[in-house]
Amino acid sequence: MQNLIEIYIQEVTRRLPEKNRSDIALELRSTIEDMLPDEYKEEDVKAVLEKLGNPVALAGGYRDQPMYLIGPRYYDLYISLLKMILPIAVVVSFITMVASYFIQYNGEQDFVNFITTLITKGIITLLEVGVGVFFWMTIVFAIIERTDTSKGTDPLTNSLSKWTPEDLKQITYVPKKRSISKAEVFGAFIWTAIWAAFYFNADHLIGRFENRGNGLEFVQPLFHQDVLIGYWPLVVTIIALEAGLALYKYVKGHWTNRLAIFNLIVESAAMIVLLILFLNPNLFETEFFNNMANTFSYSSTQLQFSFISITFVVVLVFAVISIVDGFRKARIK
């Protein structure tokens, strides 16, 4: 019963500005408790919540700004779909743009100019896709709003039906510390796109650069590209797993035990693939470490071992932190 009250308050306050949520939550909880009898039952809670009405409508009464183009009947559904579709469209477009741009890069362009151009095109792509999705979603809902013949005014739920207190039972109460931000999901997609692009173009992106007057110029690769490409089925599997994990995070919106286990599987698989790569003696360009040995007071063998050890340990530490953090957040009540 108490959980129904907390979920109802959550459904109201999550639609309000962050700065007002705490005060309104306290006010709303006090109002509900005053309306309930001393020894109340679930039916009493439902009756009070029914009297207060749909949390979308109640939240609308607390908001300072009115809804004009999309009316209250469709506004919450419109925002929910926009929040779901917009990030997916932006991420897919950005990943496609980054991948295609890296594939076209042949190493002749100055690396700094290459990165600058990539960032500029990335921003333009994000703006174009974002504006496009926003425009067409708004047009579609504006048309629906004006062609609706039901004459209803009560906000619709995501299932396109009238809200009742029973709908609260379909919603999980999520503490703030368990939630997954859109920025975290977006960052995961971007990180996957970046490291995948570097992997498949390592022969002219990862290695030694020199300043040749016109800017930094790539002069020597660190890896044998043909050896890297030989492991492409494993790498593509990791890419698919990471993309699936990010999408699962977006859909769930909060940490669960299943999500934490999925995260454990993905991180473990990535570490295993990295270990397999590092165990291949032909992975690295020998000349790269020979040239670096002239700069440092170590042999090329020592430098290569140090690079492998440090890289693996750093990646392992971040993987362990991610795994532990996932299970820790999944247990928060």
Side-chain angles (χ1 to χ4, degrees), residues 1-9 12 28-29 31-33 35-36 42-55 58 163-166 168-169:
M1 291 184 290
Q2 185 66 27
N3 199 35
L4 283 181
I5 297 174
E6 294 301 326
I7 294 175
Y8 184 88
I9 295 173
V12 174
L28 187 55
R29 186 177 290 107
T31 299
I32 294 173
E33 290 174 354
M35 296 172 68
L36 290 169
E42 182 173 335
E43 294 304 316
D44 297 321
V45 173
K46 288 182 180 179
V48 169
L49 298 181
E50 184 79 40
K51 187 174 182 180
L52 289 174
N54 191 315
L58 188 58
W163 181 89
T164 66
E166 287 294 324
L168 296 176
K169 293 185 176 181

PDB file of all heavy atoms in Angstrom, residues 1-9 12 28-29 31-33 35-36 42-55 58 163-166 168-169:
ATOM      1  N   MET A   1       0.831  -1.200   0.000  1.00  0.00           N
ATOM      2  CA  MET A   1       0.000   0.000   0.000  1.00  0.00           C
ATOM      3  C   MET A   1       0.871   1.257   0.000  1.00  0.00           C
ATOM      4  O   MET A   1       0.637   2.191  -0.743  1.00  0.00           O
ATOM      5  CB  MET A   1      -0.940  -0.017   1.214  1.00  0.00           C
ATOM      6  CG  MET A   1      -2.016  -1.087   1.148  1.00  0.00           C
ATOM      7  SD  MET A   1      -3.155  -0.973   2.527  1.00  0.00           S
ATOM      8  CE  MET A   1      -2.105  -1.488   3.875  1.00  0.00           C
ATOM      9  N   GLN A   2       1.867   1.226   0.891  1.00  0.00           N
ATOM     10  CA  GLN A   2       2.784   2.367   0.950  1.00  0.00           C
ATOM     11  C   GLN A   2       3.528   2.522  -0.368  1.00  0.00           C
ATOM     12  O   GLN A   2       3.821   3.639  -0.812  1.00  0.00           O
ATOM     13  CB  GLN A   2       3.775   2.170   2.110  1.00  0.00           C
ATOM     14  CG  GLN A   2       4.705   3.361   2.337  1.00  0.00           C
ATOM     15  CD  GLN A   2       3.962   4.598   2.807  1.00  0.00           C
ATOM     16  OE1 GLN A   2       2.905   4.499   3.418  1.00  0.00           O
ATOM     17  NE2 GLN A   2       4.503   5.768   2.505  1.00  0.00           N
ATOM     18  N   ASN A   3       3.810   1.371  -0.995  1.00  0.00           N
ATOM     19  CA  ASN A   3       4.532   1.407  -2.265  1.00  0.00           C
ATOM     20  C   ASN A   3       3.708   2.095  -3.338  1.00  0.00           C
ATOM     21  O   ASN A   3       4.253   2.810  -4.195  1.00  0.00           O
ATOM     22  CB  ASN A   3       4.898  -0.006  -2.702  1.00  0.00           C
ATOM     23  CG  ASN A   3       6.008  -0.016  -3.740  1.00  0.00           C
ATOM     24  OD1 ASN A   3       6.901   0.824  -3.691  1.00  0.00           O
ATOM     25  ND2 ASN A   3       5.936  -0.938  -4.666  1.00  0.00           N
ATOM     26  N   LEU A   4       2.383   1.908  -3.319  1.00  0.00           N
ATOM     27  CA  LEU A   4       1.512   2.574  -4.282  1.00  0.00           C
ATOM     28  C   LEU A   4       1.590   4.091  -4.112  1.00  0.00           C
ATOM     29  O   LEU A   4       1.622   4.838  -5.088  1.00  0.00           O
ATOM     30  CB  LEU A   4       0.062   2.105  -4.101  1.00  0.00           C
ATOM     31  CG  LEU A   4      -0.308   0.727  -4.649  1.00  0.00           C
ATOM     32  CD1 LEU A   4      -1.781   0.453  -4.397  1.00  0.00           C
ATOM     33  CD2 LEU A   4       0.003   0.626  -6.123  1.00  0.00           C
ATOM     34  N   ILE A   5       1.652   4.528  -2.864  1.00  0.00           N
ATOM     35  CA  ILE A   5       1.752   5.965  -2.595  1.00  0.00           C
ATOM     36  C   ILE A   5       3.073   6.518  -3.104  1.00  0.00           C
ATOM     37  O   ILE A   5       3.113   7.572  -3.755  1.00  0.00           O
ATOM     38  CB  ILE A   5       1.599   6.238  -1.078  1.00  0.00           C
ATOM     39  CG1 ILE A   5       0.203   5.814  -0.591  1.00  0.00           C
ATOM     40  CG2 ILE A   5       1.860   7.707  -0.768  1.00  0.00           C
ATOM     41  CD1 ILE A   5       0.023   5.905   0.907  1.00  0.00           C
ATOM     42  N   GLU A   6       4.166   5.797  -2.828  1.00  0.00           N
ATOM     43  CA  GLU A   6       5.486   6.259  -3.263  1.00  0.00           C
ATOM     44  C   GLU A   6       5.582   6.308  -4.786  1.00  0.00           C
ATOM     45  O   GLU A   6       6.160   7.231  -5.363  1.00  0.00           O
ATOM     46  CB  GLU A   6       6.579   5.348  -2.688  1.00  0.00           C
ATOM     47  CG  GLU A   6       6.723   5.396  -1.182  1.00  0.00           C
ATOM     48  CD  GLU A   6       7.051   6.794  -0.671  1.00  0.00           C
ATOM     49  OE1 GLU A   6       7.771   7.538  -1.378  1.00  0.00           O
ATOM     50  OE2 GLU A   6       6.567   7.155   0.419  1.00  0.00           O
ATOM     51  N   ILE A   7       5.014   5.298  -5.442  1.00  0.00           N
ATOM     52  CA  ILE A   7       5.049   5.272  -6.913  1.00  0.00           C
ATOM     53  C   ILE A   7       4.206   6.411  -7.480  1.00  0.00           C
ATOM     54  O   ILE A   7       4.585   7.057  -8.464  1.00  0.00           O
ATOM     55  CB  ILE A   7       4.554   3.908  -7.438  1.00  0.00           C
ATOM     56  CG1 ILE A   7       5.535   2.799  -7.035  1.00  0.00           C
ATOM     57  CG2 ILE A   7       4.404   3.936  -8.956  1.00  0.00           C
ATOM     58  CD1 ILE A   7       5.073   1.413  -7.399  1.00  0.00           C
ATOM     59  N   TYR A   8       3.055   6.664  -6.853  1.00  0.00           N
ATOM     60  CA  TYR A   8       2.203   7.767  -7.312  1.00  0.00           C
ATOM     61  C   TYR A   8       2.954   9.098  -7.196  1.00  0.00           C
ATOM     62  O   TYR A   8       2.949   9.917  -8.136  1.00  0.00           O
ATOM     63  CB  TYR A   8       0.922   7.806  -6.473  1.00  0.00           C
ATOM     64  CG  TYR A   8      -0.067   8.851  -6.925  1.00  0.00           C
ATOM     65  CD1 TYR A   8      -1.022   8.570  -7.895  1.00  0.00           C
ATOM     66  CD2 TYR A   8      -0.044  10.139  -6.387  1.00  0.00           C
ATOM     67  CE1 TYR A   8      -1.926   9.534  -8.323  1.00  0.00           C
ATOM     68  CE2 TYR A   8      -0.938  11.112  -6.795  1.00  0.00           C
ATOM     69  CZ  TYR A   8      -1.880  10.800  -7.766  1.00  0.00           C
ATOM     70  OH  TYR A   8      -2.771  11.760  -8.185  1.00  0.00           O
ATOM     71  N   ILE A   9       3.616   9.314  -6.048  1.00  0.00           N
ATOM     72  CA  ILE A   9       4.393  10.546  -5.859  1.00  0.00           C
ATOM     73  C   ILE A   9       5.525  10.624  -6.878  1.00  0.00           C
ATOM     74  O   ILE A   9       5.815  11.691  -7.434  1.00  0.00           O
ATOM     75  CB  ILE A   9       4.937  10.613  -4.415  1.00  0.00           C
ATOM     76  CG1 ILE A   9       3.776  10.735  -3.427  1.00  0.00           C
ATOM     77  CG2 ILE A   9       5.906  11.776  -4.254  1.00  0.00           C
ATOM     78  CD1 ILE A   9       4.195  10.648  -1.970  1.00  0.00           C
ATOM     79  N   VAL A  12       4.263  11.713 -10.229  1.00  0.00           N
ATOM     80  CA  VAL A  12       3.946  13.144 -10.280  1.00  0.00           C
ATOM     81  C   VAL A  12       5.224  13.968 -10.363  1.00  0.00           C
ATOM     82  O   VAL A  12       5.390  14.809 -11.247  1.00  0.00           O
ATOM     83  CB  VAL A  12       3.112  13.568  -9.048  1.00  0.00           C
ATOM     84  CG1 VAL A  12       2.929  15.086  -9.039  1.00  0.00           C
ATOM     85  CG2 VAL A  12       1.748  12.877  -9.052  1.00  0.00           C
ATOM     86  N   LEU A  28       2.662  16.531  -1.211  1.00  0.00           N
ATOM     87  CA  LEU A  28       1.737  15.532  -1.743  1.00  0.00           C
ATOM     88  C   LEU A  28       1.593  14.349  -0.788  1.00  0.00           C
ATOM     89  O   LEU A  28       0.489  13.836  -0.572  1.00  0.00           O
ATOM     90  CB  LEU A  28       2.228  15.059  -3.111  1.00  0.00           C
ATOM     91  CG  LEU A  28       1.312  14.135  -3.907  1.00  0.00           C
ATOM     92  CD1 LEU A  28      -0.064  14.763  -4.076  1.00  0.00           C
ATOM     93  CD2 LEU A  28       1.915  13.833  -5.268  1.00  0.00           C
ATOM     94  N   ARG A  29       2.721  13.907  -0.206  1.00  0.00           N
ATOM     95  CA  ARG A  29       2.659  12.800   0.756  1.00  0.00           C
ATOM     96  C   ARG A  29       1.811  13.192   1.974  1.00  0.00           C
ATOM     97  O   ARG A  29       1.006  12.389   2.478  1.00  0.00           O
ATOM     98  CB  ARG A  29       4.070  12.419   1.191  1.00  0.00           C
ATOM     99  CG  ARG A  29       4.112  11.167   2.082  1.00  0.00           C
ATOM    100  CD  ARG A  29       5.537  10.763   2.440  1.00  0.00           C
ATOM    101  NE  ARG A  29       6.232  10.240   1.265  1.00  0.00           N
ATOM    102  CZ  ARG A  29       7.177  10.900   0.612  1.00  0.00           C
ATOM    103  NH1 ARG A  29       7.531  12.118   1.011  1.00  0.00           N
ATOM    104  NH2 ARG A  29       7.771  10.357  -0.435  1.00  0.00           N
ATOM    105  N   THR A  31      -0.612  15.402   2.025  1.00  0.00           N
ATOM    106  CA  THR A  31      -2.010  15.486   1.583  1.00  0.00           C
ATOM    107  C   THR A  31      -2.655  14.104   1.543  1.00  0.00           C
ATOM    108  O   THR A  31      -3.789  13.911   2.011  1.00  0.00           O
ATOM    109  CB  THR A  31      -2.074  16.125   0.188  1.00  0.00           C
ATOM    110  OG1 THR A  31      -1.527  17.452   0.248  1.00  0.00           O
ATOM    111  CG2 THR A  31      -3.513  16.194  -0.299  1.00  0.00           C
ATOM    112  N   ILE A  32      -1.931  13.134   1.003  1.00  0.00           N
ATOM    113  CA  ILE A  32      -2.462  11.767   0.901  1.00  0.00           C
ATOM    114  C   ILE A  32      -2.691  11.181   2.286  1.00  0.00           C
ATOM    115  O   ILE A  32      -3.727  10.551   2.556  1.00  0.00           O
ATOM    116  CB  ILE A  32      -1.501  10.885   0.085  1.00  0.00           C
ATOM    117  CG1 ILE A  32      -1.449  11.353  -1.372  1.00  0.00           C
ATOM    118  CG2 ILE A  32      -1.923   9.422   0.144  1.00  0.00           C
ATOM    119  CD1 ILE A  32      -0.410  10.651  -2.214  1.00  0.00           C
ATOM    120  N   GLU A  33      -1.716  11.371   3.189  1.00  0.00           N
ATOM    121  CA  GLU A  33      -1.849  10.823   4.541  1.00  0.00           C
ATOM    122  C   GLU A  33      -3.016  11.462   5.288  1.00  0.00           C
ATOM    123  O   GLU A  33      -3.709  10.787   6.072  1.00  0.00           O
ATOM    124  CB  GLU A  33      -0.541  11.048   5.308  1.00  0.00           C
ATOM    125  CG  GLU A  33       0.602  10.183   4.789  1.00  0.00           C
ATOM    126  CD  GLU A  33       1.941  10.515   5.445  1.00  0.00           C
ATOM    127  OE1 GLU A  33       1.982  11.493   6.219  1.00  0.00           O
ATOM    128  OE2 GLU A  33       2.919   9.797   5.181  1.00  0.00           O
ATOM    129  N   MET A  35      -5.759  12.469   3.944  1.00  0.00           N
ATOM    130  CA  MET A  35      -6.997  11.978   3.340  1.00  0.00           C
ATOM    131  C   MET A  35      -7.301  10.527   3.719  1.00  0.00           C
ATOM    132  O   MET A  35      -8.417  10.060   3.527  1.00  0.00           O
ATOM    133  CB  MET A  35      -6.916  12.096   1.809  1.00  0.00           C
ATOM    134  CG  MET A  35      -6.810  13.532   1.307  1.00  0.00           C
ATOM    135  SD  MET A  35      -6.494  13.617  -0.481  1.00  0.00           S
ATOM    136  CE  MET A  35      -8.058  12.995  -1.121  1.00  0.00           C
ATOM    137  N   LEU A  36      -6.303   9.821   4.255  1.00  0.00           N
ATOM    138  CA  LEU A  36      -6.482   8.413   4.607  1.00  0.00           C
ATOM    139  C   LEU A  36      -6.952   8.262   6.050  1.00  0.00           C
ATOM    140  O   LEU A  36      -6.587   9.073   6.920  1.00  0.00           O
ATOM    141  CB  LEU A  36      -5.164   7.647   4.425  1.00  0.00           C
ATOM    142  CG  LEU A  36      -4.684   7.434   2.993  1.00  0.00           C
ATOM    143  CD1 LEU A  36      -3.253   6.903   2.991  1.00  0.00           C
ATOM    144  CD2 LEU A  36      -5.610   6.462   2.255  1.00  0.00           C
ATOM    145  N   GLU A  42      -5.697  -1.168   1.327  1.00  0.00           N
ATOM    146  CA  GLU A  42      -5.325  -0.862  -0.049  1.00  0.00           C
ATOM    147  C   GLU A  42      -6.459  -0.170  -0.800  1.00  0.00           C
ATOM    148  O   GLU A  42      -6.209   0.732  -1.602  1.00  0.00           O
ATOM    149  CB  GLU A  42      -4.913  -2.141  -0.798  1.00  0.00           C
ATOM    150  CG  GLU A  42      -4.453  -1.875  -2.240  1.00  0.00           C
ATOM    151  CD  GLU A  42      -3.901  -3.115  -2.907  1.00  0.00           C
ATOM    152  OE1 GLU A  42      -3.440  -4.013  -2.197  1.00  0.00           O
ATOM    153  OE2 GLU A  42      -3.929  -3.174  -4.160  1.00  0.00           O
ATOM    154  N   GLU A  43      -7.681  -0.571  -0.514  1.00  0.00           N
ATOM    155  CA  GLU A  43      -8.821   0.044  -1.197  1.00  0.00           C
ATOM    156  C   GLU A  43      -8.953   1.524  -0.819  1.00  0.00           C
ATOM    157  O   GLU A  43      -9.368   2.349  -1.649  1.00  0.00           O
ATOM    158  CB  GLU A  43     -10.113  -0.707  -0.849  1.00  0.00           C
ATOM    159  CG  GLU A  43     -10.168  -2.142  -1.366  1.00  0.00           C
ATOM    160  CD  GLU A  43      -9.959  -2.200  -2.863  1.00  0.00           C
ATOM    161  OE1 GLU A  43     -10.561  -1.361  -3.584  1.00  0.00           O
ATOM    162  OE2 GLU A  43      -9.188  -3.069  -3.316  1.00  0.00           O
ATOM    163  N   ASP A  44      -8.600   1.859   0.445  1.00  0.00           N
ATOM    164  CA  ASP A  44      -8.634   3.264   0.864  1.00  0.00           C
ATOM    165  C   ASP A  44      -7.592   4.084   0.113  1.00  0.00           C
ATOM    166  O   ASP A  44      -7.859   5.212  -0.318  1.00  0.00           O
ATOM    167  CB  ASP A  44      -8.371   3.379   2.371  1.00  0.00           C
ATOM    168  CG  ASP A  44      -9.447   2.689   3.194  1.00  0.00           C
ATOM    169  OD1 ASP A  44     -10.636   2.787   2.818  1.00  0.00           O
ATOM    170  OD2 ASP A  44      -9.088   2.060   4.215  1.00  0.00           O
ATOM    171  N   VAL A  45      -6.398   3.482  -0.072  1.00  0.00           N
ATOM    172  CA  VAL A  45      -5.326   4.161  -0.816  1.00  0.00           C
ATOM    173  C   VAL A  45      -5.761   4.396  -2.257  1.00  0.00           C
ATOM    174  O   VAL A  45      -5.587   5.492  -2.810  1.00  0.00           O
ATOM    175  CB  VAL A  45      -4.026   3.331  -0.775  1.00  0.00           C
ATOM    176  CG1 VAL A  45      -2.973   3.967  -1.686  1.00  0.00           C
ATOM    177  CG2 VAL A  45      -3.500   3.217   0.640  1.00  0.00           C
ATOM    178  N   LYS A  46      -6.353   3.372  -2.858  1.00  0.00           N
ATOM    179  CA  LYS A  46      -6.796   3.496  -4.254  1.00  0.00           C
ATOM    180  C   LYS A  46      -7.870   4.578  -4.389  1.00  0.00           C
ATOM    181  O   LYS A  46      -7.881   5.333  -5.367  1.00  0.00           O
ATOM    182  CB  LYS A  46      -7.336   2.157  -4.755  1.00  0.00           C
ATOM    183  CG  LYS A  46      -6.272   1.101  -4.989  1.00  0.00           C
ATOM    184  CD  LYS A  46      -6.891  -0.173  -5.543  1.00  0.00           C
ATOM    185  CE  LYS A  46      -5.846  -1.238  -5.787  1.00  0.00           C
ATOM    186  NZ  LYS A  46      -6.428  -2.499  -6.318  1.00  0.00           N
ATOM    187  N   ALA A  47      -8.759   4.642  -3.388  1.00  0.00           N
ATOM    188  CA  ALA A  47      -9.827   5.643  -3.444  1.00  0.00           C
ATOM    189  C   ALA A  47      -9.256   7.057  -3.378  1.00  0.00           C
ATOM    190  O   ALA A  47      -9.700   7.963  -4.105  1.00  0.00           O
ATOM    191  CB  ALA A  47     -10.816   5.408  -2.301  1.00  0.00           C
ATOM    192  N   VAL A  48      -8.254   7.252  -2.511  1.00  0.00           N
ATOM    193  CA  VAL A  48      -7.623   8.571  -2.381  1.00  0.00           C
ATOM    194  C   VAL A  48      -6.881   8.937  -3.667  1.00  0.00           C
ATOM    195  O   VAL A  48      -6.990  10.068  -4.166  1.00  0.00           O
ATOM    196  CB  VAL A  48      -6.660   8.591  -1.182  1.00  0.00           C
ATOM    197  CG1 VAL A  48      -5.805   9.859  -1.194  1.00  0.00           C
ATOM    198  CG2 VAL A  48      -7.440   8.493   0.123  1.00  0.00           C
ATOM    199  N   LEU A  49      -6.132   7.982  -4.205  1.00  0.00           N
ATOM    200  CA  LEU A  49      -5.384   8.244  -5.438  1.00  0.00           C
ATOM    201  C   LEU A  49      -6.322   8.486  -6.616  1.00  0.00           C
ATOM    202  O   LEU A  49      -6.031   9.306  -7.488  1.00  0.00           O
ATOM    203  CB  LEU A  49      -4.445   7.066  -5.745  1.00  0.00           C
ATOM    204  CG  LEU A  49      -3.359   6.778  -4.707  1.00  0.00           C
ATOM    205  CD1 LEU A  49      -2.482   5.621  -5.143  1.00  0.00           C
ATOM    206  CD2 LEU A  49      -2.522   8.017  -4.452  1.00  0.00           C
ATOM    207  N   GLU A  50      -7.462   7.769  -6.613  1.00  0.00           N
ATOM    208  CA  GLU A  50      -8.459   7.988  -7.661  1.00  0.00           C
ATOM    209  C   GLU A  50      -9.015   9.411  -7.563  1.00  0.00           C
ATOM    210  O   GLU A  50      -9.249  10.080  -8.580  1.00  0.00           O
ATOM    211  CB  GLU A  50      -9.584   6.969  -7.516  1.00  0.00           C
ATOM    212  CG  GLU A  50     -10.628   7.032  -8.611  1.00  0.00           C
ATOM    213  CD  GLU A  50     -10.174   6.365  -9.890  1.00  0.00           C
ATOM    214  OE1 GLU A  50      -9.528   5.309  -9.827  1.00  0.00           O
ATOM    215  OE2 GLU A  50     -10.450   6.929 -10.960  1.00  0.00           O
ATOM    216  N   LYS A  51      -9.195   9.860  -6.339  1.00  0.00           N
ATOM    217  CA  LYS A  51      -9.719  11.215  -6.131  1.00  0.00           C
ATOM    218  C   LYS A  51      -8.708  12.275  -6.569  1.00  0.00           C
ATOM    219  O   LYS A  51      -9.078  13.301  -7.153  1.00  0.00           O
ATOM    220  CB  LYS A  51     -10.078  11.401  -4.654  1.00  0.00           C
ATOM    221  CG  LYS A  51     -10.781  12.715  -4.355  1.00  0.00           C
ATOM    222  CD  LYS A  51     -11.230  12.778  -2.902  1.00  0.00           C
ATOM    223  CE  LYS A  51     -11.975  14.082  -2.621  1.00  0.00           C
ATOM    224  NZ  LYS A  51     -12.433  14.154  -1.198  1.00  0.00           N
ATOM    225  N   LEU A  52      -7.434  12.028  -6.289  1.00  0.00           N
ATOM    226  CA  LEU A  52      -6.383  12.960  -6.729  1.00  0.00           C
ATOM    227  C   LEU A  52      -6.240  12.958  -8.239  1.00  0.00           C
ATOM    228  O   LEU A  52      -5.885  13.978  -8.837  1.00  0.00           O
ATOM    229  CB  LEU A  52      -5.044  12.587  -6.073  1.00  0.00           C
ATOM    230  CG  LEU A  52      -4.930  12.854  -4.570  1.00  0.00           C
ATOM    231  CD1 LEU A  52      -3.615  12.308  -4.037  1.00  0.00           C
ATOM    232  CD2 LEU A  52      -5.047  14.347  -4.281  1.00  0.00           C
ATOM    233  N   GLY A  53      -6.494  11.802  -8.862  1.00  0.00           N
ATOM    234  CA  GLY A  53      -6.503  11.728 -10.314  1.00  0.00           C
ATOM    235  C   GLY A  53      -5.187  11.300 -10.928  1.00  0.00           C
ATOM    236  O   GLY A  53      -4.215  10.972 -10.235  1.00  0.00           O
ATOM    237  N   ASN A  54      -5.182  11.298 -12.223  1.00  0.00           N
ATOM    238  CA  ASN A  54      -4.012  10.902 -12.996  1.00  0.00           C
ATOM    239  C   ASN A  54      -2.797  11.740 -12.584  1.00  0.00           C
ATOM    240  O   ASN A  54      -2.882  12.969 -12.544  1.00  0.00           O
ATOM    241  CB  ASN A  54      -4.305  11.100 -14.489  1.00  0.00           C
ATOM    242  CG  ASN A  54      -3.245  10.470 -15.373  1.00  0.00           C
ATOM    243  OD1 ASN A  54      -2.056  10.612 -15.135  1.00  0.00           O
ATOM    244  ND2 ASN A  54      -3.693   9.780 -16.414  1.00  0.00           N
ATOM    245  N   PRO A  55      -1.657  11.099 -12.262  1.00  0.00           N
ATOM    246  CA  PRO A  55      -0.473  11.872 -11.856  1.00  0.00           C
ATOM    247  C   PRO A  55       0.012  12.847 -12.926  1.00  0.00           C
ATOM    248  O   PRO A  55       0.614  13.865 -12.602  1.00  0.00           O
ATOM    249  CB  PRO A  55       0.581  10.789 -11.574  1.00  0.00           C
ATOM    250  CG  PRO A  55       0.065   9.542 -12.204  1.00  0.00           C
ATOM    251  CD  PRO A  55      -1.411   9.645 -12.197  1.00  0.00           C
ATOM    252  N   LEU A  58      -2.174  15.889 -12.403  1.00  0.00           N
ATOM    253  CA  LEU A  58      -1.788  16.558 -11.170  1.00  0.00           C
ATOM    254  C   LEU A  58      -0.456  17.295 -11.344  1.00  0.00           C
ATOM    255  O   LEU A  58      -0.297  18.422 -10.861  1.00  0.00           O
ATOM    256  CB  LEU A  58      -1.680  15.534 -10.038  1.00  0.00           C
ATOM    257  CG  LEU A  58      -1.461  16.101  -8.633  1.00  0.00           C
ATOM    258  CD1 LEU A  58      -2.580  17.052  -8.257  1.00  0.00           C
ATOM    259  CD2 LEU A  58      -1.367  14.964  -7.615  1.00  0.00           C
ATOM    260  N   TRP A 163      -6.081   6.483 -17.264  1.00  0.00           N
ATOM    261  CA  TRP A 163      -5.296   6.086 -16.093  1.00  0.00           C
ATOM    262  C   TRP A 163      -6.201   5.654 -14.950  1.00  0.00           C
ATOM    263  O   TRP A 163      -7.256   6.235 -14.704  1.00  0.00           O
ATOM    264  CB  TRP A 163      -4.430   7.261 -15.630  1.00  0.00           C
ATOM    265  CG  TRP A 163      -3.570   6.920 -14.446  1.00  0.00           C
ATOM    266  CD1 TRP A 163      -2.319   6.393 -14.471  1.00  0.00           C
ATOM    267  CD2 TRP A 163      -3.913   7.080 -13.066  1.00  0.00           C
ATOM    268  NE1 TRP A 163      -1.842   6.217 -13.200  1.00  0.00           N
ATOM    269  CE2 TRP A 163      -2.808   6.628 -12.308  1.00  0.00           C
ATOM    270  CE3 TRP A 163      -5.033   7.573 -12.407  1.00  0.00           C
ATOM    271  CZ2 TRP A 163      -2.800   6.649 -10.926  1.00  0.00           C
ATOM    272  CZ3 TRP A 163      -5.031   7.583 -11.015  1.00  0.00           C
ATOM    273  CH2 TRP A 163      -3.924   7.128 -10.297  1.00  0.00           C
ATOM    274  N   THR A 164      -5.757   4.583 -14.233  1.00  0.00           N
ATOM    275  CA  THR A 164      -6.399   4.134 -12.999  1.00  0.00           C
ATOM    276  C   THR A 164      -5.287   3.788 -12.008  1.00  0.00           C
ATOM    277  O   THR A 164      -4.138   3.558 -12.408  1.00  0.00           O
ATOM    278  CB  THR A 164      -7.266   2.869 -13.224  1.00  0.00           C
ATOM    279  OG1 THR A 164      -6.400   1.777 -13.588  1.00  0.00           O
ATOM    280  CG2 THR A 164      -8.291   3.103 -14.324  1.00  0.00           C
ATOM    281  N   PRO A 165      -5.577   3.740 -10.725  1.00  0.00           N
ATOM    282  CA  PRO A 165      -4.545   3.376  -9.740  1.00  0.00           C
ATOM    283  C   PRO A 165      -3.919   2.013 -10.004  1.00  0.00           C
ATOM    284  O   PRO A 165      -2.787   1.750  -9.588  1.00  0.00           O
ATOM    285  CB  PRO A 165      -5.304   3.393  -8.406  1.00  0.00           C
ATOM    286  CG  PRO A 165      -6.393   4.385  -8.622  1.00  0.00           C
ATOM    287  CD  PRO A 165      -6.806   4.205 -10.052  1.00  0.00           C
ATOM    288  N   GLU A 166      -4.636   1.118 -10.709  1.00  0.00           N
ATOM    289  CA  GLU A 166      -4.084  -0.192 -11.036  1.00  0.00           C
ATOM    290  C   GLU A 166      -2.840  -0.070 -11.921  1.00  0.00           C
ATOM    291  O   GLU A 166      -1.978  -0.953 -11.910  1.00  0.00           O
ATOM    292  CB  GLU A 166      -5.150  -1.048 -11.746  1.00  0.00           C
ATOM    293  CG  GLU A 166      -6.256  -1.553 -10.848  1.00  0.00           C
ATOM    294  CD  GLU A 166      -5.735  -2.538  -9.805  1.00  0.00           C
ATOM    295  OE1 GLU A 166      -4.815  -3.320 -10.124  1.00  0.00           O
ATOM    296  OE2 GLU A 166      -6.253  -2.518  -8.672  1.00  0.00           O
ATOM    297  N   LEU A 168      -0.400   1.778 -11.467  1.00  0.00           N
ATOM    298  CA  LEU A 168       0.787   1.936 -10.637  1.00  0.00           C
ATOM    299  C   LEU A 168       1.458   0.599 -10.345  1.00  0.00           C
ATOM    300  O   LEU A 168       2.666   0.539 -10.120  1.00  0.00           O
ATOM    301  CB  LEU A 168       0.418   2.617  -9.315  1.00  0.00           C
ATOM    302  CG  LEU A 168      -0.122   4.048  -9.425  1.00  0.00           C
ATOM    303  CD1 LEU A 168      -0.537   4.547  -8.055  1.00  0.00           C
ATOM    304  CD2 LEU A 168       0.934   4.969 -10.027  1.00  0.00           C
ATOM    305  N   LYS A 169       0.656  -0.495 -10.353  1.00  0.00           N
ATOM    306  CA  LYS A 169       1.222  -1.810 -10.085  1.00  0.00           C
ATOM    307  C   LYS A 169       2.126  -2.294 -11.209  1.00  0.00           C
ATOM    308  O   LYS A 169       2.927  -3.210 -11.021  1.00  0.00           O
ATOM    309  CB  LYS A 169       0.097  -2.826  -9.849  1.00  0.00           C
ATOM    310  CG  LYS A 169      -0.686  -2.572  -8.568  1.00  0.00           C
ATOM    311  CD  LYS A 169      -1.698  -3.680  -8.325  1.00  0.00           C
ATOM    312  CE  LYS A 169      -2.410  -3.477  -6.996  1.00  0.00           C
ATOM    313  NZ  LYS A 169      -3.387  -4.543  -6.696  1.00  0.00           N
TER     314      LYS A 169
END
